[in-house]
């Protein structure tokens, strides 16, 4: 008479926490039973893997009431991975068994804060510096990007370097930014997140003032090309005007009577 090997069931029974965050640790509870019933623990070893990489191996003799907990397993990055527990029997009395289940690792929460704007009252068209601090709950803050917006078409300049692999839980980065329009703004800094950190957003109110302008009247041009600055009664003449740091139109008046309005064209220039 031939006695067949008994079947077994290995099970990844519980995860604590059920959805760990990247950079933190978690525990996994593994159970093992013989299929014929009873509480006898089949002899052998159990190998626990995460995406094909062994995280915990133990002899089944260490199980208590058919259970064993692998503790302090590091969830290094966010995303979904496959967990596998494999029982390998040490005798021919039992068959091996495998159980697989998914695990979702959340991004470690991050917080972003706009800590300073310099100058604090920027002017339209002029670059100003925005300092952003990103914080992590755990001691791992790999590289990432920060994007700025003022809600009305401003443009971002260069940002300070952000070295991947830093061990600090806080990182500060300074970015240049230029607001093209005046008035009240909501300045928004968005941290993109990365393999370990979830994204985060910071906002602050900002008032962008009008920039200073300078108006310069150039050399008048009369009708006589040989003497361009000589004006002739009842004949038109040209007034070149340059406005630094501004766009729009210029009103020109003449004390002897008359006026005109010109629209600024290239590089704040107008000719009327």
């Amino acid at each position: 008479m031939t006695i067949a090997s008994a079947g077994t069931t290995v099970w990844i029974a519980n995860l604590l926490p059920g959805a760990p965050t990247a950079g933190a640790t978690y525990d996994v509870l593994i159970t093992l039973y013989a299929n014929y019933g009873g509480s006898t623990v089949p002899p052998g070893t159990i190998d626990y893997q995460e995406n094909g990489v062994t995280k915990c191996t133990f002899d089944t003799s260490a199980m208590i009431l058919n259970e064993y907990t692998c503790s302090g397993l590091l969830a290094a990055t966010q995303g979904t991975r496959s967990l596998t527990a494999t029982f390998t029997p040490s005798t021919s009395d039992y068959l091996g068994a495998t159980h697989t289940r998914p695990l979702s690792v959340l991004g470690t929460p991050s917080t972003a804060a706009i800590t300073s704007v310099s100058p604090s009252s920027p002017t339209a068209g002029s670059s100003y510096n925005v300092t952003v601090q990103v914080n992590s709950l755990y001691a791992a803050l790999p590289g990432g990007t920060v994007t700025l917006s003022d809600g009305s078409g401003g443009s971002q300049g260069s940002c300070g370097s952000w070295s991947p692999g830093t061990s600090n839980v806080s990182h500060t980065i300074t970015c240049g930014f230029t607001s093209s329009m005046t008035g009240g703004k909501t300045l928004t800094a968005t941290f993109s997140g990365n393999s370990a950190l979830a994204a985060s957003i910071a906002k602050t109110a900002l008032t962008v003032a009008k920039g200073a302008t300078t108006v310069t009247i150039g050399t008048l041009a009369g009708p006589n090309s040989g003497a361009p600055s000589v004006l002739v009664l009842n004949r038109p003449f040209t007034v070149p005007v340059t406005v630094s740091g501004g766009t729009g139109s210029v009103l020109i008046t003449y004390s002897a009577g008359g006026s005109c309005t010109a629209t600024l064209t290239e590089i704040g220039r107008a000719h009327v």
Side-chain angles (χ1 to χ4, degrees):
M1 182 177 66
T2 301
I3 300 177
S5 300
T8 58
T9 298
V10 66
W11 197 258
I12 301 174
N14 192 27
L15 297 170
L16 186 66
T21 54
T25 60
Y26 68 97
D27 299 340
V28 57
L29 175 66
I30 299 173
T31 62
L32 175 66
Y33 290 92
N35 291 349
Y36 57 71
S39 59
T40 300
V41 178
T45 59
I46 293 179
D47 181 61
Y48 170 76
Q49 294 186 348
E50 181 182 306
N51 280 353
V53 178
T54 297
K55 294 289 187 177
C56 175
T57 300
F58 59 93
D59 193 283
T60 60
S61 61
M63 302 184 82
I64 299 176
L65 298 178
N66 300 83
E67 297 180 349
Y68 185 87
T69 299
C70 294
S71 302
L73 305 178
L74 176 64
T77 60
Q78 64 177 312
T80 301
R81 69 275 325 264
S82 177
L83 306 182
T84 303
T86 301
F87 167 60
T88 302
S90 59
T91 73
S92 60
D93 295 333
Y94 297 93
L95 298 176
T98 298
H99 178 226
T100 299
R101 64 174 288 180
L103 170 66
S104 294
V105 177
L106 305 177
T108 298
S110 69
T111 59
I114 298 173
T115 58
S116 70
V117 176
S118 180
S120 58
S121 298
T123 57
S126 298
S127 177
Y128 54 94
N129 290 328
V130 181
T131 300
V132 180
Q133 186 179 71
V134 179
N135 299 289
S136 165
L137 291 183
Y138 304 105
L141 197 63
T145 58
V146 171
T147 303
L148 299 176
S149 171
D150 66 358
S152 57
S155 58
Q156 180 171 326
S158 61
C159 289
S161 61
W162 188 314
S163 301
T166 176
S167 61
N168 296 327
V169 296
S170 178
H171 188 86
T172 300
I173 190 169
T174 299
C175 306
F177 194 80
T178 301
S179 293
S180 58
M181 301 178 65
T182 62
K185 312 290 179 187
T186 297
L187 187 62
T188 302
T190 302
F191 170 60
S192 62
N194 49 45
S195 62
L197 293 180
S200 55
I201 295 176
K203 297 184 178 183
T204 189
L206 179 70
T207 299
V208 178
K210 294 181 179 180
T213 58
T214 301
V215 179
T216 303
I217 299 177
T219 303
L220 304 181
N224 187 344
S225 59
S229 61
V230 177
L231 306 183
V232 178
L233 184 65
N234 293 325
R235 296 289 299 277
F237 59 94
T238 300
V239 182
V241 177
T242 301
V243 179
S244 64
T247 59
S249 60
V250 179
L251 173 64
I252 301 174
T253 59
Y254 182 42
S255 61
S259 65
C260 67
T261 300
T263 300
L264 295 173
T265 56
E266 54 174 348
I267 321 175
R269 298 178 183 274
H271 293 80
V272 293

